[in-house]
Amino acid sequence: MIGRRHTGLAVRAMVRGDLAAIGFMMFTLLVVALAIDLAKWLGSVQAQAAATDAPLLSVLFPYIGYRSVDIITRLLTMACLAGGFVVTLLRHQRQDDVILAASGAGPSFRITALLISGLLLGLVQMAGENWLRPEAVSRQVAANLGDYGKRYHNNELGTQWVVSDNRALRATFTRGDTPHLSDVMLFEGLSEPQLSHVLHANAAHPSFREGIWTFEQVTYWDVKNAATPKLEPRLDMPFELDPETVRWFGVDAYYLPNASLRAIASAPESAAASDAATALAVRKVAIFLPVIFAFLGVSLAGQGAVGRRLSPFLLLALAAVGYLSVVSVKVFWALGIHGVLHPMLAASLPAAFALGLAIVLQFRLAGYLPTIRFKKSPKVAS
């Protein structure tokens, strides 16, 4: 009986209202973001269409599709917060809560509707983070379109340094489906008073054996024992640089497929490991973000009503609090990417804070927490 009541007409109407408001906010954010993006990159899309001798629309529409997937994945949390905020104000103006309360419907009906709509949108967020955005960005890079095409299409990266506790590698990196190194210099013994070995190779590429790299045209110096340099046409040796790290070198982790992220995150002494581990942690909690921030938007908007009236300045302040809570998500993720916080803490702490804030606000609305009131100062008779 309880289950039927909590999936009845009233709850379904609230779910539709939530999805409509969040969908409208997402559409507005998407249109604005696409307008800004096309203002900058439409010329490059036209140039790419001319270079490939293809109709402009056949290049433009896929590009808009790729960018839309990326933008929706990035901004859905913000849309959920704004949509929950706006739909609560609309319900307040229509006195929907008064009607439901008079019919015996408690707060559990509203929470049930939020859970349903939030988890539906959470599936969209999870699909975007885990599969859709990595695929869309990969196709945009392959087509050499827009900002991602400019940043990631060129696989020749020039000279790069990779430093671990005891080794330093300097090489010309080539990422992509066939990752390899050229003009390789490998220095060993960084933790010792002097270098122990130095290796130079014309080229290096991953071997078919895991953890083994093949170096070609090798010159090897035993610096510690002052031995004569050795020349080898080919040398197979264990090397801790994961092939996936080279394949995606310089690409932000949240654009990579899950299999590559797991390989990079588990690679020892990899500077990209914390970035990859944070991206994996974010994808695990992605399904909960829309419902948490929609709940926060609803809770914040509920504080802006004084009786049947709305307080505009208070609502502006509450909206700013909501915006800062969304921004804090990105800040914590950055701390995880740079290894300041554990990846799972970086991914979950801002969501936990937003959920805790929303619960406290709901308790305040229910009258369980005291309301701070300021007394007016008495007028002084002149």
Side-chain angles (χ1 to χ4, degrees), residues 145-342:
L145 295 171
D147 182 47
Y148 297 144
K150 181 182 179 181
R151 280 194 281 167
Y152 303 137
H153 185 73
N154 184 17
N155 289 332
E156 302 292 335
L157 301 179
T159 301
Q160 305 289 335
W161 283 88
V162 177
V163 181
S164 63
D165 292 337
N166 198 48
R167 276 180 170 176
L169 171 73
R170 190 206 69 188
T172 300
F173 278 54
T174 301
R175 66 187 174 200
D177 294 333
T178 56
H180 62 274
L181 312 176
S182 56
D183 191 19
V184 182
M185 290 292 297
L186 181 63
F187 306 91
E188 296 183 329
L190 297 185
S191 59
E192 302 174 14
Q194 64 178 11
L195 294 177
S196 57
H197 300 88
V198 176
L199 177 148
H200 177 268
N202 287 350
H205 56 82
S207 172
F208 63 91
R209 290 178 291 169
E210 185 176 355
I212 304 296
W213 280 69
T214 299
F215 294 82
E216 298 176 351
Q217 302 299 320
V218 178
T219 304
Y220 189 74
W221 291 273
D222 186 346
V223 179
K224 191 172 185 178
N225 297 317
T228 304
K230 296 180 180 180
L231 303 178
E232 298 285 349
R234 179 187 176 96
L235 179 64
D236 291 336
M237 61 180 290
F239 193 51
E240 295 171 343
L241 184 62
D242 190 273
E244 289 296 313
T245 301
V246 181
R247 181 186 179 190
W248 301 103
F249 194 87
V251 180
D252 293 320
Y254 40 84
Y255 300 135
L256 306 188
N258 286 331
S260 298
L261 286 178
R262 295 187 190 100
I264 297 171
S266 61
E269 300 182 356
S270 170
S274 59
D275 191 4
T278 302
L280 287 172
V282 167
R283 292 176 183 186
K284 290 177 182 177
V285 303
I287 190 172
F288 303 108
L289 294 180
V291 65
I292 289 174
F293 281 93
F295 184 36
L296 178 60
V298 168
S299 303
L300 286 169
Q303 310 298 312
V306 181
R308 297 313 308 164
R309 295 180 292 110
L310 297 177
S311 175
F313 294 106
L314 179 57
L315 287 172
L316 284 174
L318 292 168
V321 171
Y323 177 76
L324 290 175
S325 68
V326 175
V327 171
S328 71
V329 173
K330 310 295 184 182
V331 173
F332 275 84
W333 289 357
L335 294 176
I337 288 170
H338 294 289
V340 178
L341 279 180
H342 186 276

Side-chain angles (χ1 to χ4, degrees), residues 10-11 21 23 26 40 45 66 70 87 136 159 162 186 192 220 223 246 281 352 357:
V11 173
M26 186 69 257
K40 183 176 182 180
V45 173
Y66 303 148
D70 182 40
V87 78
T159 301
V162 177
L186 181 63
E192 302 174 14
Y220 189 74
V223 179
V246 181
L357 176 59

Side-chain angles (χ1 to χ4, degrees), residues 365-377:
L365 282 174
Y368 293 107
L369 296 178
T371 301
I372 300 175
R373 298 182 183 275
F374 297 96
K375 294 181 179 180
K376 295 183 178 180
S377 57

